[in-house]
Short mmCIF file of all heavy atoms in Angstrom, two decimals:
data_model
loop_
_atom_site.label_atom_id
_atom_site.label_comp_id
_atom_site.label_asym_id
_atom_site.label_seq_id
_atom_site.Cartn_x
_atom_site.Cartn_y
_atom_site.Cartn_z
N VAL A 244 37.02 26.32 -67.15
CA VAL A 244 35.86 26.94 -67.78
C VAL A 244 36.09 27.06 -69.28
O VAL A 244 35.23 26.70 -70.11
CB VAL A 244 35.58 28.34 -67.18
CG1 VAL A 244 34.60 29.11 -68.07
CG2 VAL A 244 35.01 28.23 -65.79
N ALA A 245 37.27 27.57 -69.63
CA ALA A 245 37.60 27.73 -71.05
C ALA A 245 37.64 26.37 -71.74
O ALA A 245 37.16 26.22 -72.88
CB ALA A 245 38.94 28.44 -71.20
N ARG A 246 38.21 25.38 -71.08
CA ARG A 246 38.29 24.05 -71.67
C ARG A 246 36.90 23.44 -71.80
O ARG A 246 36.59 22.73 -72.77
CB ARG A 246 39.19 23.15 -70.83
CG ARG A 246 39.81 22.01 -71.63
CD ARG A 246 40.78 21.20 -70.81
NE ARG A 246 40.09 20.36 -69.83
CZ ARG A 246 40.72 19.47 -69.06
NH1 ARG A 246 42.02 19.35 -69.12
NH2 ARG A 246 40.03 18.74 -68.21
N THR A 247 36.04 23.71 -70.81
CA THR A 247 34.67 23.21 -70.85
C THR A 247 33.92 23.80 -72.04
O THR A 247 33.25 23.09 -72.79
CB THR A 247 33.93 23.56 -69.55
OG1 THR A 247 34.61 22.96 -68.45
CG2 THR A 247 32.50 23.05 -69.58
N LEU A 248 34.02 25.11 -72.21
CA LEU A 248 33.36 25.77 -73.34
C LEU A 248 33.93 25.26 -74.67
O LEU A 248 33.19 25.07 -75.64
CB LEU A 248 33.53 27.29 -73.25
CG LEU A 248 32.83 27.97 -72.07
CD1 LEU A 248 33.17 29.45 -72.02
CD2 LEU A 248 31.31 27.78 -72.17
N GLY A 249 35.23 25.03 -74.69
CA GLY A 249 35.86 24.54 -75.90
C GLY A 249 35.38 23.14 -76.28
O GLY A 249 35.13 22.86 -77.45
N THR A 250 35.25 22.26 -75.28
CA THR A 250 34.77 20.91 -75.57
C THR A 250 33.29 20.91 -75.95
O THR A 250 32.87 20.13 -76.80
CB THR A 250 34.98 19.98 -74.36
OG1 THR A 250 34.41 20.57 -73.18
CG2 THR A 250 36.44 19.72 -74.13
N LEU A 251 32.50 21.79 -75.32
CA LEU A 251 31.08 21.89 -75.68
C LEU A 251 30.93 22.34 -77.12
O LEU A 251 30.16 21.75 -77.90
CB LEU A 251 30.37 22.87 -74.74
CG LEU A 251 28.87 23.08 -75.01
CD1 LEU A 251 28.12 21.77 -74.89
CD2 LEU A 251 28.31 24.13 -74.07
N LEU A 252 31.67 23.37 -77.50
CA LEU A 252 31.63 23.85 -78.88
C LEU A 252 32.15 22.77 -79.84
O LEU A 252 31.57 22.53 -80.90
CB LEU A 252 32.46 25.12 -79.02
CG LEU A 252 32.49 25.79 -80.40
CD1 LEU A 252 31.10 26.24 -80.81
CD2 LEU A 252 33.44 26.98 -80.39
N GLY A 253 33.24 22.12 -79.43
CA GLY A 253 33.82 21.09 -80.29
C GLY A 253 32.92 19.90 -80.51
O GLY A 253 32.92 19.30 -81.58
N SER A 254 32.10 19.53 -79.50
CA SER A 254 31.21 18.38 -79.64
C SER A 254 30.20 18.59 -80.76
O SER A 254 29.71 17.61 -81.34
CB SER A 254 30.49 18.11 -78.32
OG SER A 254 29.60 19.16 -77.99
N PHE A 255 29.90 19.84 -81.08
CA PHE A 255 29.00 20.14 -82.19
C PHE A 255 29.76 20.35 -83.50
O PHE A 255 29.40 19.80 -84.54
CB PHE A 255 28.17 21.38 -81.86
CG PHE A 255 27.21 21.19 -80.72
CD1 PHE A 255 27.47 21.75 -79.48
CD2 PHE A 255 26.06 20.44 -80.87
CE1 PHE A 255 26.60 21.57 -78.42
CE2 PHE A 255 25.17 20.26 -79.82
CZ PHE A 255 25.44 20.82 -78.59
N LEU A 256 30.82 21.14 -83.44
CA LEU A 256 31.52 21.49 -84.67
C LEU A 256 32.30 20.34 -85.27
O LEU A 256 32.49 20.27 -86.49
CB LEU A 256 32.46 22.68 -84.40
CG LEU A 256 31.79 24.00 -84.01
CD1 LEU A 256 32.84 25.10 -83.84
CD2 LEU A 256 30.76 24.41 -85.06
N LEU A 257 32.79 19.42 -84.42
CA LEU A 257 33.57 18.30 -84.94
C LEU A 257 32.73 17.31 -85.74
O LEU A 257 33.28 16.45 -86.43
CB LEU A 257 34.28 17.58 -83.79
CG LEU A 257 35.52 18.30 -83.24
CD1 LEU A 257 35.97 17.67 -81.94
CD2 LEU A 257 36.64 18.28 -84.27
N ILE A 258 31.41 17.44 -85.66
CA ILE A 258 30.54 16.62 -86.50
C ILE A 258 30.66 17.06 -87.96
O ILE A 258 30.59 16.24 -88.88
CB ILE A 258 29.07 16.72 -86.04
CG1 ILE A 258 28.93 16.17 -84.61
CG2 ILE A 258 28.14 15.96 -86.98
CD1 ILE A 258 27.54 16.34 -84.03
N ARG A 259 30.92 18.35 -88.18
CA ARG A 259 30.92 18.90 -89.54
C ARG A 259 32.31 19.23 -90.07
O ARG A 259 32.55 19.18 -91.27
CB ARG A 259 30.07 20.17 -89.59
CG ARG A 259 28.60 19.92 -89.32
CD ARG A 259 27.78 21.15 -89.67
NE ARG A 259 26.35 20.90 -89.56
CZ ARG A 259 25.41 21.74 -90.00
NH1 ARG A 259 25.78 22.88 -90.55
NH2 ARG A 259 24.14 21.44 -89.87
N PHE A 260 33.21 19.59 -89.18
CA PHE A 260 34.52 20.09 -89.64
C PHE A 260 35.65 19.14 -89.30
O PHE A 260 35.53 18.31 -88.40
CB PHE A 260 34.78 21.48 -89.04
CG PHE A 260 33.77 22.51 -89.43
CD1 PHE A 260 32.77 22.89 -88.54
CD2 PHE A 260 33.79 23.09 -90.69
CE1 PHE A 260 31.83 23.84 -88.89
CE2 PHE A 260 32.85 24.04 -91.05
CZ PHE A 260 31.87 24.42 -90.15
N SER A 261 36.75 19.27 -89.98
CA SER A 261 37.90 18.39 -89.84
C SER A 261 38.55 18.52 -88.46
O SER A 261 38.93 19.63 -88.05
CB SER A 261 38.93 18.70 -90.92
OG SER A 261 40.16 18.06 -90.65
N PRO A 262 38.72 17.40 -87.74
CA PRO A 262 39.44 17.44 -86.46
C PRO A 262 40.87 17.97 -86.63
O PRO A 262 41.41 18.61 -85.72
CB PRO A 262 39.45 15.98 -86.01
CG PRO A 262 38.27 15.37 -86.69
CD PRO A 262 38.18 16.06 -88.02
N ARG A 263 41.46 17.70 -87.77
CA ARG A 263 42.83 18.14 -88.02
C ARG A 263 42.94 19.66 -87.98
O ARG A 263 43.94 20.21 -87.47
CB ARG A 263 43.28 17.61 -89.39
CG ARG A 263 44.74 17.85 -89.71
CD ARG A 263 45.03 17.40 -91.12
NE ARG A 263 46.44 17.49 -91.44
CZ ARG A 263 46.94 17.32 -92.65
NH1 ARG A 263 46.13 17.04 -93.66
NH2 ARG A 263 48.24 17.42 -92.87
N ILE A 264 41.95 20.36 -88.50
CA ILE A 264 41.95 21.82 -88.50
C ILE A 264 41.87 22.35 -87.07
O ILE A 264 42.59 23.29 -86.69
CB ILE A 264 40.79 22.37 -89.34
CG1 ILE A 264 40.94 21.93 -90.80
CG2 ILE A 264 40.71 23.90 -89.24
CD1 ILE A 264 42.20 22.42 -91.47
N PHE A 265 40.98 21.74 -86.26
CA PHE A 265 40.88 22.13 -84.85
C PHE A 265 42.22 21.96 -84.15
O PHE A 265 42.66 22.83 -83.38
CB PHE A 265 39.83 21.26 -84.15
CG PHE A 265 38.44 21.81 -84.21
CD1 PHE A 265 37.72 21.79 -85.39
CD2 PHE A 265 37.85 22.34 -83.08
CE1 PHE A 265 36.42 22.28 -85.45
CE2 PHE A 265 36.56 22.84 -83.12
CZ PHE A 265 35.85 22.81 -84.32
N PHE A 266 42.85 20.85 -84.41
CA PHE A 266 44.12 20.51 -83.79
C PHE A 266 45.19 21.56 -84.14
O PHE A 266 45.85 22.12 -83.26
CB PHE A 266 44.54 19.13 -84.29
CG PHE A 266 45.63 18.46 -83.49
CD1 PHE A 266 46.02 17.17 -83.80
CD2 PHE A 266 46.27 19.10 -82.43
CE1 PHE A 266 47.03 16.53 -83.08
CE2 PHE A 266 47.27 18.48 -81.71
CZ PHE A 266 47.65 17.19 -82.05
N PHE A 267 45.34 21.84 -85.42
CA PHE A 267 46.38 22.75 -85.88
C PHE A 267 46.22 24.15 -85.31
O PHE A 267 47.14 24.70 -84.68
CB PHE A 267 46.40 22.81 -87.41
CG PHE A 267 47.31 23.88 -87.96
CD1 PHE A 267 48.68 23.70 -87.98
CD2 PHE A 267 46.79 25.08 -88.43
CE1 PHE A 267 49.53 24.68 -88.47
CE2 PHE A 267 47.62 26.07 -88.93
CZ PHE A 267 49.00 25.87 -88.94
N TRP A 268 45.05 24.74 -85.50
CA TRP A 268 44.85 26.13 -85.06
C TRP A 268 44.83 26.23 -83.54
O TRP A 268 45.22 27.26 -82.98
CB TRP A 268 43.59 26.70 -85.67
CG TRP A 268 43.77 26.99 -87.12
CD1 TRP A 268 43.19 26.34 -88.17
CD2 TRP A 268 44.62 28.00 -87.69
NE1 TRP A 268 43.62 26.88 -89.37
CE2 TRP A 268 44.50 27.90 -89.10
CE3 TRP A 268 45.47 28.97 -87.15
CZ2 TRP A 268 45.20 28.74 -89.97
CZ3 TRP A 268 46.17 29.80 -88.01
CH2 TRP A 268 46.02 29.68 -89.40
N GLY A 269 44.41 25.18 -82.88
CA GLY A 269 44.46 25.18 -81.41
C GLY A 269 45.88 25.28 -80.90
O GLY A 269 46.16 26.03 -79.95
N MET A 270 46.80 24.57 -81.54
CA MET A 270 48.18 24.61 -81.09
C MET A 270 48.87 25.93 -81.44
O MET A 270 49.71 26.42 -80.70
CB MET A 270 48.97 23.43 -81.67
CG MET A 270 48.47 22.06 -81.20
SD MET A 270 47.91 22.01 -79.48
CE MET A 270 49.36 22.60 -78.62
N VAL A 271 48.51 26.52 -82.55
CA VAL A 271 49.03 27.85 -82.89
C VAL A 271 48.62 28.85 -81.81
O VAL A 271 49.43 29.65 -81.34
CB VAL A 271 48.51 28.31 -84.28
CG1 VAL A 271 48.86 29.78 -84.52
CG2 VAL A 271 49.11 27.43 -85.38
N LEU A 272 47.35 28.77 -81.40
CA LEU A 272 46.83 29.66 -80.36
C LEU A 272 47.52 29.40 -79.02
O LEU A 272 47.89 30.34 -78.31
CB LEU A 272 45.32 29.45 -80.21
CG LEU A 272 44.58 30.29 -79.16
CD1 LEU A 272 44.71 31.78 -79.49
CD2 LEU A 272 43.11 29.88 -79.10
N ALA A 273 47.73 28.13 -78.67
CA ALA A 273 48.34 27.78 -77.39
C ALA A 273 49.79 28.28 -77.30
O ALA A 273 50.21 28.81 -76.27
CB ALA A 273 48.30 26.27 -77.19
N ILE A 274 50.54 28.12 -78.36
CA ILE A 274 51.95 28.57 -78.37
C ILE A 274 52.03 30.08 -78.20
O ILE A 274 52.83 30.60 -77.41
CB ILE A 274 52.65 28.12 -79.66
CG1 ILE A 274 52.84 26.59 -79.66
CG2 ILE A 274 54.02 28.80 -79.80
CD1 ILE A 274 53.33 26.02 -80.97
N GLY A 275 51.18 30.80 -78.93
CA GLY A 275 51.18 32.26 -78.81
C GLY A 275 50.81 32.73 -77.42
O GLY A 275 51.44 33.64 -76.86
N ALA A 276 49.79 32.07 -76.81
CA ALA A 276 49.35 32.47 -75.47
C ALA A 276 50.42 32.19 -74.43
O ALA A 276 50.64 32.99 -73.51
CB ALA A 276 48.05 31.73 -75.12
N LEU A 277 51.12 31.05 -74.55
CA LEU A 277 52.16 30.71 -73.59
C LEU A 277 53.30 31.73 -73.62
O LEU A 277 53.81 32.14 -72.57
CB LEU A 277 52.71 29.32 -73.87
CG LEU A 277 53.85 28.85 -72.96
CD1 LEU A 277 53.37 28.78 -71.50
CD2 LEU A 277 54.39 27.49 -73.40
N VAL A 278 53.68 32.15 -74.81
CA VAL A 278 54.76 33.14 -74.94
C VAL A 278 54.39 34.42 -74.20
O VAL A 278 55.20 34.98 -73.44
CB VAL A 278 55.04 33.45 -76.42
CG1 VAL A 278 55.97 34.67 -76.55
CG2 VAL A 278 55.67 32.24 -77.11
N PHE A 279 53.16 34.88 -74.36
CA PHE A 279 52.75 36.12 -73.70
C PHE A 279 52.57 35.96 -72.20
O PHE A 279 52.78 36.92 -71.44
CB PHE A 279 51.47 36.65 -74.35
CG PHE A 279 51.68 37.32 -75.68
CD1 PHE A 279 51.32 36.70 -76.85
CD2 PHE A 279 52.29 38.56 -75.74
CE1 PHE A 279 51.53 37.31 -78.08
CE2 PHE A 279 52.52 39.20 -76.97
CZ PHE A 279 52.14 38.56 -78.14
N ILE A 280 52.20 34.75 -71.74
CA ILE A 280 52.13 34.50 -70.29
C ILE A 280 53.50 34.67 -69.65
O ILE A 280 53.65 35.29 -68.59
CB ILE A 280 51.57 33.09 -70.00
CG1 ILE A 280 50.07 33.05 -70.25
CG2 ILE A 280 51.88 32.66 -68.56
CD1 ILE A 280 49.46 31.66 -70.10
N LEU A 281 54.52 34.12 -70.30
CA LEU A 281 55.87 34.19 -69.77
C LEU A 281 56.40 35.62 -69.71
O LEU A 281 57.30 35.93 -68.93
CB LEU A 281 56.81 33.32 -70.61
CG LEU A 281 56.50 31.82 -70.61
CD1 LEU A 281 57.44 31.08 -71.56
CD2 LEU A 281 56.61 31.23 -69.20
#
């Protein structure tokens, strides 16, 4: 569900904004979330 919402939002925002920015901040978020899951 989260990935679906993320791709839906990304399909619109990636037309205007840098894919590199999405990539970077997405990985920062993923690393932080994984640490707290553990």
Side-chain angles (χ1 to χ4, degrees):
V244 166
R246 205 175 73 174
T247 301
L248 294 175
T250 52
L251 179 60
L252 182 62
S254 66
F255 294 106
L256 296 183
L257 284 168
I258 297 175
R259 295 192 174 190
F260 299 102
S261 168
R263 187 184 185 189
I264 298 299
F265 271 72
F266 195 175
F267 172 76
W268 287 110
M270 296 323 303
V271 171
L272 180 61
I274 290 171
L277 178 62
V278 169
F279 283 106
I280 285 175
L281 297 176

